[in-house]
């Protein structure tokens, strides 16, 4: 358990408690920061264009670089979710 409320703080705390390895921490923080940066850039663009910012980014708007990095970010997050499912399902069995 942690009183930390920020996403990065919670991941860092999990690594300190050896729930996440240092490599997993670096990967998940990189993925989180990349996705957050895409989201904020999208919202800033909407504001500059006088539109209501949202969290939907049309997949067609991504270039190859962003698309490949986004796939990798989602792979990292998926692996972390799978590990969490295993860890917590074993705890309750």
């Amino acid at each position: 358990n942690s009183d930390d409320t920020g996403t990065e703080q919670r991941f860092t705390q999990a690594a300190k408690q050896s729930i996440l390895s240092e490599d997993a921490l670096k990967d998940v923080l990189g993925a989180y920061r990349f996705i957050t940066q895409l989201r904020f850039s999208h919202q800033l663009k909407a504001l500059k264009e006088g539109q209501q910012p949202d969290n939907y980014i049309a997949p067609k708007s991504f270039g190859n670089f962003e698309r490949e990095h986004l796939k990798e970010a989602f792979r990292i997050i998926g692996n972390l979710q799978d590990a969490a499912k295993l860890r917590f399902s074993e705890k309750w069995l």
Side-chain angles (χ1 to χ4, degrees), residues 41-80:
S41 294
H42 167 73
Q43 291 174 343
L44 180 60
K45 182 178 181 237
L47 288 170
K48 286 180 177 179
E49 294 174 355
Q51 299 173 359
Q52 182 71 26
D54 60 24
N55 292 317
Y56 175 75
I57 305 172
K60 293 178 184 178
S61 70
F62 294 121
N64 287 335
F65 176 84
E66 291 168 319
R67 189 174 288 116
E68 289 304 314
H69 281 77
L70 194 55
K71 285 180 188 176
E72 180 65 11
F74 286 141
R75 184 192 63 75
I76 290 166
I77 292 166
N79 289 344
L80 182 65

Side-chain angles (χ1 to χ4, degrees), residues 5-47:
T5 57
T7 299
E8 290 193 27
Q9 292 172 320
R10 290 192 309 264
F11 284 131
T12 301
Q13 188 63 32
K16 286 180 184 175
Q17 295 175 3
S18 299
I19 295 169
L20 283 179
S21 69
E22 284 299 316
D23 285 341
L25 175 64
K26 289 176 189 176
D27 286 347
V28 76
L29 288 179
Y32 173 75
R33 290 171 182 160
F34 179 73
I35 292 169
T36 300
Q37 185 270 329
L38 285 177
R39 181 176 153 242
F40 287 158
S41 294
H42 167 73
Q43 291 174 343
L44 180 60
K45 182 178 181 237
L47 288 170

